[in-house]
Amino acid sequence: MDFFTIIQVLDSTVRLATPLLLACLAGLFSERAGIFDIGLEGKMLAAAFFSAAIAAMTGSVWLGLLAGIAASLFLSGIHGLASITFRGNQLISGVAINFLAAGMTVLIAQSWFKQGGRTPSLMSEGRFNPIELPFAEALSDVPFLGPIYSELISGHSILVYVALAAVPATWWILFRTRFGLRLRAVGENPAAVDTAGVSVVGLRFAAVAICGVLCGIAGAYLATGLQAGFVKDMTAGRGFIALAALIFAKWRPWYALSACLLFGFLQAIALRYQNIDLGAFTVPVQVMDALPYILTVVILAGFVGKAVPPRAGGEPYVKER
């Protein structure tokens, strides 16, 4: 593997890790506040469909992004009502959201576009196009550093840079602000937060809303940045992979970035090297495609017991009289 091939693989890694990273940070906010959310997959799927559908109908990718965020926030509101207001089982609510999104997107897509549950292919105005950073072309011929800047750092859509910027922003919000301190406290000891006169319900709904916004951006990126339209089940388990990355990262933003880049790297390798000849035998393409999911199972089996979630996670809070 030469240097330029490595740059191309790493470039694909960043692109493929972006929706995972956004979904992982979304789950981080929600679970830090004590609300387990396995409905990340469904929110991303709904956001991907509505962003692609509105972008195709209006020709504006920004309207598509807003539609994707709105769809994800709607499902987040349902999850919040079920798990916070009505104190229902958070896992069942998440599963219901996943099934609802999987069926709803295909049904509405078929009703609107009559293309077998998919949206029309998006033209340039309906997609997030790559952004060339300053001096990228001028520095492209500089040995070693030139290709890294022009090919790896430059040339991504704006949502990729938003996802990368969200990592330090999440760290700062959670660990350097009063809101973040209260949010983490709600996930550990909601009774203490309530005693201090802070609304547990309000904080948890705020965390669920932030989760919805980030999932909306992740879904919109899938349909309008990474691909050029919506197809059935296009999230392909990315919401569950994001949850595995969150556990692997032990609910910390910088570790989440590393975990998502690892998953993205495996996906990039699987896409570039369909069949790997090891001499004695050839690794089939199906094994390469399954690598990210195999790693998900390994992480869940090996790290669930070691990674300690927020103590009040998954438990509805009942205010003492």
Side-chain angles (χ1 to χ4, degrees):
M1 185 184 295
D2 58 23
F3 177 70
F4 288 99
T5 302
I6 294 174
I7 292 295
Q8 290 173 352
V9 170
L10 293 179
D11 180 69
S12 298
T13 297
V14 173
R15 298 175 192 272
L16 293 169
T18 295
L20 298 178
L21 179 59
L22 288 166
C24 188
L25 294 177
L28 191 150
F29 273 103
S30 182
E31 296 194 8
R32 277 285 188 172
I35 304 298
F36 287 163
D37 192 354
I38 62 172
L40 301 178
E41 179 88 358
K43 294 171 188 174
M44 291 173 64
L45 192 61
F49 167 68
F50 280 101
S51 63
I54 298 302
M57 294 171 66
T58 64
S60 171
V61 68
W62 294 104
L63 289 178
L65 174 62
L66 291 177
I69 293 175
S72 180
L73 278 173
F74 175 75
L75 293 181
S76 289
I78 293 176
H79 184 58
L81 284 173
S83 58
I84 301 172
T85 303
F86 298 110
R87 305 189 188 109
N89 188 294
Q90 297 173 10
L91 299 182
I92 293 176
S93 174
V95 170
I97 286 173
N98 288 336
F99 281 117
L100 175 64
M104 176 187 67
T105 51
V106 176
L107 180 64
I108 299 177
Q110 179 61 22
S111 176
W112 281 3
F113 302 107
K114 304 293 191 299
Q115 294 188 11
R118 60 187 301 162
T119 62
S121 296
L122 299 176
M123 298 296 104
S124 59
E125 294 300 321
R127 296 191 62 194
F128 283 104
N129 296 311
I131 297 174
E132 185 174 303
L133 298 181
F135 310 112
E137 186 175 353
L139 296 174
S140 60
D141 294 331
V142 176
F144 189 72
L145 293 179
I148 292 178
Y149 180 72
S150 62
E151 299 292 335
L152 180 57
I153 299 176
S154 178
H156 298 289
S157 71
I158 188 171
L159 295 186
V160 174
Y161 300 112
V162 168
L164 294 175
V167 177
T170 299
W171 173 84
W172 183 79
I173 290 172
L174 286 178
F175 297 100
R176 289 294 183 271
T177 66
R178 180 179 297 178
F179 172 76
L181 175 62
R182 290 174 173 176
L183 195 72
R184 289 183 288 125
V186 163
E188 296 292 338
N189 192 344
V193 175
D194 193 19
T195 302
V198 180
S199 173
V200 173
V201 171
L203 281 171
R204 287 189 166 180
F205 265 110
V208 168
I210 294 172
C211 174
V213 171
L214 291 173
C215 279
I217 298 174
Y221 172 76
L222 275 177
T224 61
L226 194 61
Q227 299 185 33
F230 173 85
V231 295
K232 178 182 177 183
D233 296 330
M234 70 180 303
T235 48
R238 285 182 173 89
F240 301 110
I241 293 177
L243 285 175
L246 183 59
I247 295 172
F248 189 34
K250 298 182 178 179
W251 294 270
R252 294 184 177 274
W254 292 108
Y255 292 168
L257 173 61
S258 301
C260 291
L261 287 175
L262 174 61
F263 281 106
F265 177 73
L266 290 178
Q267 288 182 327
I269 290 293
L271 288 175
R272 186 169 186 86
Y273 300 99
Q274 297 294 306
N275 293 286
I276 297 181
D277 188 1
L278 298 180
F281 63 94
T282 300
V283 180
V285 61
Q286 291 82 1
V287 174
M288 300 302 299
D289 289 337
L291 275 179
Y293 306 99
I294 294 172
L295 182 61
T296 301
V297 174
V298 171
I299 286 176
L300 291 177
F303 288 87
V304 166
K306 299 177 182 179
V308 181
R311 285 184 295 177
E315 299 177 2
Y317 176 66
V318 180
K319 187 179 180 69
E320 296 181 0
R321 299 294 180 183

